Amino acid sequence: MKYLLGLLLVLFASYADIFLFRVNVVPLEPSMFLIPLFIVIGFLKYSITDMYDILKSHTFRFFAFITLLTILYSVFTKASEEVIITEISLNFITLLLYIIAVHFFRTESKPLVTTVIIVGLLLCGGSVVYDLMFGLPNQSLKLAQSVRKGGFGENPNQAASGIKFLALCALVLIWNKKYARFFVLTFLLITVFVTFSRSGLVSVFFILALGAINNWSNQFQKDPVAMILSFFKLIVLFIFIAISLVVLANVIRANFPQFTRGEAGKRLDLLTGQSEASNISSDAIEGGRGTLLLEYFDEFKQNPLGLGTGYSSDKKANGGKLNTHNYYLYLAVNLGFLALLLYIIFNAYNIRLAFKHNQFYYLIFALLFFLEGFFTHSIFHERSILVCLAFFDSQIYKTQIKLINPINLVPNQTNA
């Protein structure tokens, strides 16, 4: 059963479960078949008592609190009953998926865990490249006409998020293997670049910068001389990457004309030095995230206690607007300032845990996770991100003893 759980985790991490449903390979939506299958197999495979300690983790407690608020705030929301049920159901699914995934990653063998992460990364990133070169089967007219393609992730920003977090998980497992690490980093850079996701590219440079300065170690390096040398290596690395990206951008411009239109075209222009300042400024404020931010922030100021479960998800309730595209704003508008404050504390606690348990990649993950909330309103409902969150938490909550009594941990023993 553990191999079936691993296979399902690969599908979730790479968004392949959604793609298989779109092309009618799997007859039912993931929420109606593959996810319930994973949950049932998980509880058959693992004892509930063995997983009980995960309920004490900081992430589960955060999920549980948000789920409780979602139920309470459903009483006075303007959203439709269908939206309310969807929001509550997604939160419960998140809780169950998280528990089983954490236990899988902390108890199964390293070769199996490594296989799940690497295969998930290759499928997610490989689907983006294949979509660029050949095009995936047309799942819908809207996707077929899309200028920027996201592979199995469909949305390029969503695909980039899955790739970068999966690559970070892979680095935890192979950080001391030079050639394997080089392959993962190269694969990460190329596949995220192909998505033309701004948040994805920023995150990749962030990973490269922090990783290089710390000599790619899984623990914090304290040698100042080594860090200075790594900094100079980093400068050379970024120069090489900048030149490579410009060359790749010109290749894409010459061979894939569909990427010269729309937002993708603007970003190619930016990389090749052919953009106009007016295009860059208007991209940030006209009809996009900037407009949503201003409109929803005004609503939050008028209703700091929240407008109710699913308000921003229901166009009939919110006046026809898109969702917030921002998890901080999503919590503030729907569930009020208390939920927003709790999420900020949750992110701060992630950073604290990284230092406490001497896990450098957990720090990178925590910082990227903090930034990711500014780009998506469904951060915990994107299964690729949830799988990666479970993986990193499993590095902290390895055993019941460490979870129940973390104060007595010796820093260099927490990775055992």
Side-chain angles (χ1 to χ4, degrees), residues 78 296 299 310-323:
K78 296 179 181 178
Y296 276 117
E299 293 193 53
Y311 169 79
S312 66
S313 304
D314 191 339
K315 289 186 177 182
K316 293 181 179 179
N318 65 32
K321 297 190 293 290
L322 294 173
N323 215 321

Side-chain angles (χ1 to χ4, degrees), residues 64-85:
F65 186 82
I66 294 300
T67 302
L68 177 61
L69 284 182
T70 301
I71 295 173
L72 295 176
Y73 272 63
S74 65
V75 176
F76 59 83
T77 182
K78 296 179 181 178
S80 65
E81 182 178 349
E82 180 181 358
V83 171
I84 294 172
I85 293 174

Side-chain angles (χ1 to χ4, degrees), residues 5 27 30 68 76 90 106 117 166 169 189 198 217 220 241 270 296-297 305 315 321 325 342-343 405 409 416:
L5 286 175
L68 177 61
F76 59 83
L90 285 173
R106 73 177 184 172
I117 295 299
L166 284 169
C169 293
L189 184 61
R198 285 171 295 188
S217 173
F220 289 90
I241 290 174
L270 183 62
Y296 276 117
F297 186 67
L305 294 179
K315 289 186 177 182
K321 297 190 293 290
H325 286 66
L342 184 67
Y343 184 58
N405 189 23
L409 288 176

Side-chain angles (χ1 to χ4, degrees), residues 11 15-23 30 152 154 158 383:
L11 296 180
Y15 304 109
D17 60 326
I18 301 173
F19 176 77
L20 292 176
F21 166 70
R22 302 282 195 212
V23 296
F152 292 159
E154 299 182 355
Q158 183 170 282
R383 288 187 291 282

Side-chain angles (χ1 to χ4, degrees), residues 5 38-57 60-61 95-108 397-400 403-404:
L5 286 175
F38 177 80
I39 293 172
V40 170
I41 294 176
F43 281 110
L44 289 175
K45 165 67 176 173
Y46 305 121
S47 168
I48 295 178
T49 56
D50 289 340
M51 294 187 288
Y52 174 75
D53 63 296
I54 300 176
L55 274 61
K56 300 178 183 180
S57 68
F60 180 88
R61 289 177 177 177
L95 283 169
L96 295 175
L97 280 177
Y98 172 79
I99 293 172
I100 298 171
V102 169
H103 198 63
F104 175 90
F105 286 127
R106 73 177 184 172
T107 58
E108 299 301 340
Y397 302 118
K398 278 288 188 182
T399 66
Q400 295 182 24
L403 180 58
I404 294 172

